[in-house]
Amino acid sequence: MGSIKIHAGDWGKNTSGGFAFGAFSLPKPGKFMPEGIHGSELSDVEIATEESVKRIGGTVGWGAAGAVILGPVGLLAGLLLGGRKKEVTFVAKFKDGRKFLGTTDSKTFTQMSAATFK
């Protein structure tokens, strides 16, 4: 299972989830069992940029947005320049309107992106 660190959004702040076999396992606030969401419910997933973080600013909160803006840009530059870091910070949006800002490994990010094409 690809682990996802959730930084902010509709599934809490500083929580963890996962993606495996085409489905998400995301924490339910106040519940023991996580929520299972099939990947086909994902409407969009994109690498977090300053612009994408600003678009979800109301959900993320400006404090988290400010902390994230520099990280993904540096991370993306590192990936493009052949850096060793293989994590991707991204914004995931679901068809029901919920969304979150998270970080995962590049392989899991690719699998999540592929789920939007089904």
Side-chain angles (χ1 to χ4, degrees):
M1 175 185 282
S3 178
I4 300 171
K5 179 169 171 64
I6 299 170
H7 302 291
D10 293 311
W11 283 274
K13 184 176 181 181
N14 297 320
T15 59
S16 295
F19 186 81
F21 305 110
F24 288 89
S25 176
L26 299 170
K28 283 183 177 178
K31 303 286 183 179
F32 177 73
M33 294 297 292
E35 178 178 3
I37 303 174
H38 194 272
S40 64
E41 294 301 311
L42 190 63
S43 66
D44 187 35
V45 61
E46 61 185 72
I47 293 177
T49 62
E50 182 175 357
E51 186 61 31
S52 65
V53 170
K54 281 182 182 178
R55 283 196 306 257
I56 65 166
T59 301
V60 174
W62 292 112
V68 172
I69 289 171
L70 295 176
V73 173
L75 174 61
L76 180 58
L79 287 172
L80 293 175
L81 296 172
R84 294 178 184 231
K85 194 149 189 152
K86 295 185 181 189
E87 290 187 330
V88 178
T89 299
F90 63 93
V91 176
K93 299 175 187 173
F94 292 85
K95 293 176 182 176
D96 65 4
R98 296 184 292 173
K99 55 196 161 215
F100 70 89
L101 177 69
T103 301
T104 193
D105 60 270
S106 59
K107 181 179 177 184
T108 302
F109 177 77
T110 300
Q111 292 170 350
M112 289 187 304
S113 296
T116 65
F117 289 98
K118 293 182 180 181

